[in-house]
Amino acid sequence: MPEWLQAGGWGLLAGSALLVGAAVGWFARVPQRVIASIMAFGAGVLLSAVSFELIAEAHAQGGLLPTVLGAAVGALVYTLANLVLARHGARHRKRSGDQQPSEGEQPGSGSALAVGALLDGIPESVVIGASLLSGGAVSLVTVAAVFLSNVPEGLSSAAGMRQAGRTRRYVFLLWAGIALISGVAALVGNTLLGGAPPEVLAAITALAAGAILAMITDTMVPEAFENAHLLVGLITVAGFLTAFALSH
């Protein structure tokens, strides 16, 4: 199978977890504290993947400077884009309660939510595709980490969309579309970065890591700790250690 097609398949697999989570969030009445716990686990998983897979890999490929610059640029670009989206109603796109505005409360917020979901998912998919370039095999840890974190993201966001009065058609078309775009982004990442110098690959990997880290703290952590209970910190560490164990 061509490498670019493998990249697209792995990206689609990881993105499909959003649809799984959305189905649970829409059809099941999951208690807020359970959602917070699941989101905490997902945040821990992604934090570990950023640390031990993405940043570590970028440093090994290109050294300190491309890694630092790439991560800083990724975080900056994500934050600036997120500021714009927040003004249009996408600030709480991963919240499960009543924080998301309805279309009547803020016209255009539905489109902003869709763009925000893309903003959150594309960096993860690009690094999945790029991971095939370094050793000829996809980073299964990165795929597993993205998959495990996408389930609570889809769950929490879909529950919040239901609260805001979004239709079932809107919710499932949105997450199905994001899953497909995740596959395309992984494919494109693999195709465009093929043959790139190690320093460029390092910078791109670090850029995605910086964007993902900014996304975790801005959209996942607030949901995890909104209805915090004494076990949330422990659950976050459990997610972190799960991904760390997978990487070893």
Side-chain angles (χ1 to χ4, degrees):
M1 182 184 296
E3 186 178 89
W4 59 269
L5 192 56
Q6 293 181 51
W10 286 115
L12 180 62
L13 174 64
S16 67
L18 290 166
L19 199 55
V20 173
V24 175
W26 184 270
F27 292 111
R29 302 288 173 173
V30 184
Q32 290 286 325
R33 287 198 167 192
V34 174
I35 294 177
S37 299
I38 297 172
M39 188 66 89
F41 185 86
V45 166
L46 271 187
L47 285 170
S48 183
V50 168
S51 302
F52 299 111
E53 288 293 309
L54 304 185
I55 293 294
E57 177 64 23
H59 184 263
Q61 284 181 321
L64 183 63
L65 186 60
T67 301
V68 171
L69 289 178
V73 170
L76 178 63
V77 170
Y78 177 90
T79 301
L80 291 176
N82 201 42
L83 285 172
V84 174
L85 290 170
R87 294 175 182 173
H88 292 84
R91 177 71 181 89
H92 300 294
R93 57 186 175 274
K94 285 191 172 68
R95 305 304 299 276
S96 60
D98 57 1
Q99 298 93 341
Q100 293 186 29
S102 66
E103 196 67 24
E105 293 170 331
Q106 188 163 359
S109 58
S111 299
L113 286 168
V115 175
L118 278 175
L119 177 68
D120 297 339
I122 285 178
E124 301 169 344
S125 301
V126 170
V127 294
I128 287 175
S131 72
L132 279 161
L133 299 172
S134 58
V138 73
S139 171
L140 292 178
V141 176
T142 302
V143 173
V146 174
F147 188 95
L148 289 173
S149 64
N150 276 348
V151 172
E153 288 182 44
L155 189 159
S156 180
S157 186
M161 291 176 183
R162 184 187 61 206
Q163 290 263 33
R166 310 282 175 197
T167 65
R168 182 169 62 184
R169 175 184 174 85
Y170 170 86
V171 170
F172 285 98
L173 282 178
L174 171 64
W175 291 118
I178 300 301
L180 289 173
I181 292 171
S182 296
V184 173
L187 184 155
V188 170
N190 178 268
T191 303
L192 293 184
L193 296 175
E199 293 79 10
V200 173
L201 283 175
I204 295 297
T205 300
L207 186 147
I212 292 169
L213 185 56
M215 181 272 290
I216 294 168
T217 55
D218 193 76
T219 65
M220 295 183 73
V221 170
E223 176 64 22
F225 289 92
E226 172 70 16
N227 296 291
H229 50 81
L230 294 178
L231 296 179
V232 165
L234 183 62
I235 293 169
T236 304
V237 174
F240 186 93
L241 293 176
T242 297
F244 179 74
L246 287 173
S247 69
H248 289 78

